[in-house]
Amino acid sequence: MSIGAGVVLFVIGAILAFAVNVELEWVNLDLIGYILMGAGVLVFIIGLVLLMRKRSSETVTRTAVDPAANERITRRSTSSTDDTI
């Protein structure tokens, strides 16, 4: 979602900065275009970082002593959220 939003912001900013030739006295469309392009690049990079961060794994090991048989019991559980595309 954020990668697409970054691309959209960048494209709208590029259109405002380079394609629109409207002179308004109270607003500078070129500056707004450059700001949107910078925000688009920033959102795109943050989206990539968060996409890479989603992949994680968790391992839990528990050891206890069974009081009836007086032996050590070990339980291991592993979970992984590896999203394959």
Side-chain angles (χ1 to χ4, degrees):
M1 174 77 183
S2 63
I3 293 174
V7 170
V8 167
L9 282 174
F10 188 83
V11 168
I12 292 172
I15 290 171
L16 284 177
F18 302 120
V20 176
N21 262 345
V22 177
E23 294 291 327
L24 299 175
E25 186 176 314
W26 50 277
V27 67
N28 187 353
L29 291 179
D30 289 338
L31 180 62
I32 291 174
Y34 291 132
I35 290 172
L36 286 176
M37 287 192 317
V41 168
L42 186 66
V43 168
F44 183 80
I45 291 172
I46 290 173
L48 284 179
V49 168
L50 291 178
L51 182 69
M52 296 299 157
R53 191 172 163 225
K54 281 185 180 179
R55 296 186 177 106
S56 64
S57 64
E58 179 180 329
T59 303
V60 177
T61 304
R62 294 187 179 125
T63 304
V65 176
D66 185 12
N70 204 15
E71 37 180 67
R72 179 177 276 180
I73 300 171
T74 302
R75 291 185 183 181
R76 292 186 183 136
S77 64
T78 302
S79 66
S80 177
T81 60
D82 187 13
D83 297 332
T84 56
I85 298 174

